[in-house]
Amino acid sequence: MNRAEFFDKLSLLDEQRLKTALWNVYWRAAAPVRERIEAEIRPEAAGPSKRPSKAAVDPRAVRDEVQQFADLARGGSYIAGDRRVSPGQRTRWRSEFARLANDARTGLRAPEPDHAATALEKLIDLACETRHYDSEKETTLAAVVSGMLTIPDNWTTFAGYYLDALDHATGSDTRSRTWPTGDLARKQRAADLAEWHAALIQRLADTEAEDLLDKLTNHPALAGPELEFIRARLAHQRRDLEAARALMTNALTELPGHREMLTFAIGIDAPLPERAREIAASRA
């Protein structure tokens, strides 16, 4: 709804229903939203408002900055160096990325957020493309997204869009992206997204959105031992230990040295393949 449509809806509510609606928003919202509501309902003090305000972000300008940053990054300017990027800028590329990401997220709250959404999408694409470079120094995208999803409804909505994106990865409509195909690509995709899939299971299991997890664990865009691991996590969450143990045995047959898999399998008393037993014994 736009502003006019929203106010038209509110005009149909009596005072009690308005209070109930506001309370539901306040109770379920993240801290910044609660603080904003508290500020709005606080009795007005004499004189001008003392509430600090953040500088406005121009979504179009942010999009253009992000495009320039991404072009320079893909061209190797921040690694090999060229005249377009100073030595100081090359050492501060992480802070520049963080600034642009923060501006893009702020721009999503603008009246017309499309340019900010485009900017954030470009930054996510760039992060995915460079995930194997110096990755031990970076915060994972799964951790960043998890921090942005502050209430249960956010997780359900985002998970739905994520599954739509997986659908496009295996369909004819690729939304102008080049998706890798084949069994190897499906295995790599499941491995790259393992942390995110684990977070989805933790958040959505035993909720009304649990059917999304069934779609995830049977999705044709994913394959391999990492998918078996996610299926085992879900089976364990549903207290189906027999299925979880069998899935972990299969997964460790292909990846016997996977630390997280071994730890999980041992924790649920799953039968370990011979090579996995040897590795577990040597680590112990």
Side-chain angles (χ1 to χ4, degrees):
M1 292 183 289
N2 59 32
R3 184 184 180 91
E5 292 169 336
F6 182 74
F7 283 135
D8 285 343
K9 293 287 186 182
L10 291 185
S11 67
L12 303 175
L13 304 181
D14 59 25
E15 182 179 358
Q16 184 57 46
R17 292 180 67 188
L18 284 171
K19 288 181 177 179
T20 300
L22 182 59
W23 165 250
N24 285 331
V25 174
Y26 175 79
W27 178 64
R28 302 178 68 178
V33 177
R34 292 197 300 270
E35 292 169 1
R36 180 69 179 269
I37 294 174
E38 289 166 0
E40 292 292 343
I41 64 178
R42 188 180 302 127
E44 290 292 338
S49 172
K50 302 294 183 181
R51 187 174 63 199
S53 60
K54 294 183 178 180
V57 169
D58 180 356
R60 188 186 298 271
V62 173
R63 181 205 59 188
D64 293 343
E65 277 193 271
V66 166
Q67 183 64 62
Q68 183 181 26
F69 178 83
D71 289 344
L72 290 172
R74 291 189 175 98
S77 299
Y78 288 96
I79 299 175
D82 60 36
R83 293 183 179 180
R84 294 177 297 171
V85 177
S86 69
Q89 288 176 309
R90 288 198 292 274
T91 61
R92 296 193 301 271
W93 71 268
R94 286 184 176 83
S95 60
E96 180 67 1
F97 184 98
R99 180 187 70 80
L100 291 171
N102 184 65
D103 285 351
R105 290 170 58 183
T106 302
L108 293 176
R109 296 191 289 271
E112 297 181 359
D114 289 353
H115 295 303
T118 299
L120 196 58
E121 183 179 8
K122 290 180 182 296
L123 288 171
I124 292 172
D125 285 345
L126 182 62
C128 291
E129 291 171 22
T130 59
R131 66 187 182 277
H132 296 306
Y133 173 75
D134 223 10
S135 60
E136 69 277 4
K137 296 183 179 180
E138 315 304 337
T139 301
T140 64
L141 187 58
V144 173
V145 173
S146 296
M148 296 172 66
L149 304 177
T150 56
I151 60 175
D153 284 353
N154 289 162
W155 282 90
T156 301
T157 301
F158 197 93
Y161 282 117
Y162 169 66
L163 289 168
D164 287 343
L166 284 184
D167 290 342
H168 286 286
T170 55
S172 58
D173 176 10
T174 60
R175 294 185 180 181
S176 74
R177 298 169 185 266
T178 302
W179 292 95
T181 58
D183 193 54
L184 181 61
R186 294 164 64 222
K187 290 181 178 180
Q188 186 61 55
R189 185 180 293 117
D192 289 341
L193 294 164
E195 181 183 354
W196 170 242
H197 294 159
L200 285 176
I201 288 176
Q202 181 181 5
R203 296 285 184 165
L204 299 183
D206 299 322
T207 71
E208 294 180 356
E210 191 169 5
D211 62 305
L212 296 177
L213 297 179
D214 291 313
K215 184 176 179 181
L216 170 67
T217 55
N218 292 285
H219 204 285
L222 307 171
E226 294 281 8
L227 178 59
E228 296 282 273
F229 188 19
I230 292 302
R231 288 172 174 166
R233 285 178 183 267
L234 182 58
H236 180 258
Q237 193 80 24
R238 292 172 171 172
R239 299 172 182 82
D240 188 351
L241 281 178
E242 183 178 352
R245 289 165 179 160
L247 287 163
M248 288 313 303
T249 301
N250 290 338
L252 287 169
T253 299
E254 188 167 345
L255 292 178
H258 193 294
R259 288 186 178 274
E260 285 186 76
M261 288 187 187
L262 266 177
T263 300
F264 182 78
I266 293 171
I268 63 173
D269 295 324
L272 301 182
E274 181 178 356
R275 180 55 182 155
R277 284 200 307 271
E278 294 172 355
I279 294 173
S282 67
R283 290 174 180 171

